[in-house]
Amino acid sequence: MATASADLEEIPTVDLMTELLRRMKCATKPDKRLILIGPPGCGKGTQSPIIKDEYCLCHLATGDMLRAAVAAKTPLGVKAKEAMDKGELVSDDLVIGIIDEAMKKTSCQKGFILDGFPRTVVQAQKLDEMLEKQGAKIDKVLNFAVDDAILEERITGRWIHSSSGRTYHSKLAPPKVPGIDDITGEPLIQRKDDTAAVLKSRLEAFHRQTKPVIDYYSKKGSVVNLHAEKPPKEVTVEVQKALS
Ligand code: AP5
């Protein structure tokens, strides 16, 4: 629904100007359709907000969408919960449905970052079919390549600000005050599946079901390999090079 001019009066000038400047900057950016792929804890969620702001894309993280559905106890959430708690993948049909719906959002007009999707070859084929219907295709697949051995420390030390998706790490990227978001002062949470035991199943699912997706896109020539074991700022530089 369009905002009435009376409503606009209520918005502080500085917020209007910031939004105007953001839109002017975004108008100059090329459209991009990106996939971020890699094992749990490889840094997809850390780099996504940076890419989103730089290129004015929407960030579609299937894990976040599924967790929101579980928390709200929607029919989708009820179906997804058991697999997620065990570190297994939820069914292809469920995630394809939520992605198809999410890509229609206005914020996806200039393109999207898919974080955690596609995770099986069936999901990748379905995605390609959906895009083909719009005369579009995936521009780049960023492969966050990293050895399994360093992921347990990353995953078990992760803290999240749930409403913004900001991610911290108790040792590697600590918040200013332990357990508190730097920006809002709100409490941080830990994910239920961020334990060493569940990580084992998540890694098994990655190697068995998701690695073939990297091969699928490699054959199409769209994969760029990143050194995701490097510190976050160095990974950001690699991402920027890959997208320039
Ligand atoms: P999802 O939420 O997608 O989890 P995931 O793939 O396991 O990925 P993570 O969010 O754990 O890792 P990340 O790469 O974002 O890491 P982050 O940047 O936070 O999926 C959860 C579940 O949902 C699945 O198990 C499945 O059940 C279901 N699901 C989701 N999508 C599905 C699909 N398409 N099909 C079927 N089922 C699906 O980083 C981790 C930590 O490391 C942070 O603390 C961070 O501060 C730190 N860190 C990040 N980068 C670095 C760095 N370079 N150096 C040092 N530390 C770093």
Side-chain angles (χ1 to χ4, degrees), residues 14-226:
V14 64
D15 291 352
L16 283 174
M17 293 302 284
T18 310
E19 177 57 14
L20 193 63
L21 287 173
R22 189 192 70 79
R23 289 194 191 188
M24 282 165 66
K25 185 193 95 173
C26 288
T28 65
K29 301 284 178 180
D31 291 7
K32 282 194 191 297
R33 294 174 189 83
L34 308 173
I35 291 173
L36 271 48
I37 200 162
C42 66
K44 305 183 295 291
T46 302
Q47 300 297 329
S48 289
I50 303 170
I51 308 172
K52 175 186 164 192
D53 289 347
E54 177 62 29
Y55 290 98
C56 310
L57 308 173
C58 66
H59 173 209
L60 304 179
T62 39
D64 292 347
M65 294 178 200
L66 290 167
R67 276 185 291 279
V70 171
K73 297 195 170 73
T74 64
L76 167 76
V78 172
K79 282 188 199 149
K81 187 176 185 310
E82 197 186 333
M84 292 179 76
D85 285 350
K86 286 196 274 184
E88 294 168 3
L89 296 189
V90 308
S91 80
D92 288 335
D93 288 348
L94 285 186
V95 279
I96 288 162
I98 57 173
I99 280 290
D100 193 17
E101 202 45 45
M103 285 199 308
K104 293 174 188 152
K105 292 196 290 194
T106 325
S107 55
C108 299
Q109 256 168 2
K110 291 206 69 78
F112 50 72
I113 303 163
L114 295 178
D115 166 0
F117 181 92
R119 253 174 155 103
T120 65
V121 173
V122 171
Q123 292 178 19
Q125 287 165 337
K126 278 278 174 204
L127 172 67
D128 283 354
E129 280 171 28
M130 284 187 242
L131 293 175
E132 232 172 80
K133 281 188 199 149
Q134 305 162 17
K137 67 174 184 60
I138 292 298
D139 298 308
K140 288 248 159 77
V141 176
L142 302 182
N143 176 24
F144 285 65
V146 58
D147 202 89
D148 285 3
I150 67 167
L151 297 174
E152 184 175 322
E153 185 189 28
R154 283 197 192 177
I155 284 288
T156 52
R158 171 164 59 184
W159 287 84
I160 298 164
H161 178 241
S162 38
S163 58
S164 70
R166 259 185 300 281
T167 303
Y168 299 87
H169 189 281
S170 48
K171 250 171 57 190
L172 308 169
K176 288 178 194 144
V177 179
I180 300 293
D181 178 46
D182 286 352
I183 313 285
T184 62
E186 288 166 357
L188 303 174
I189 55 143
Q190 284 197 293
R191 263 169 54 177
K192 207 175 162 194
D193 60 346
D194 275 354
T195 63
V198 180
L199 174 63
K200 226 171 142 235
S201 321
R202 289 161 65 192
L203 279 172
E204 272 166 27
F206 170 75
H207 288 289
R208 190 163 40 86
Q209 292 165 282
T210 308
K211 267 215 167 142
V213 177
I214 302 172
D215 300 334
Y216 172 87
Y217 284 110
S218 292
K219 286 184 193 135
K220 293 174 181 268
S222 20
V223 175
V224 180
N225 293 309
L226 306 174

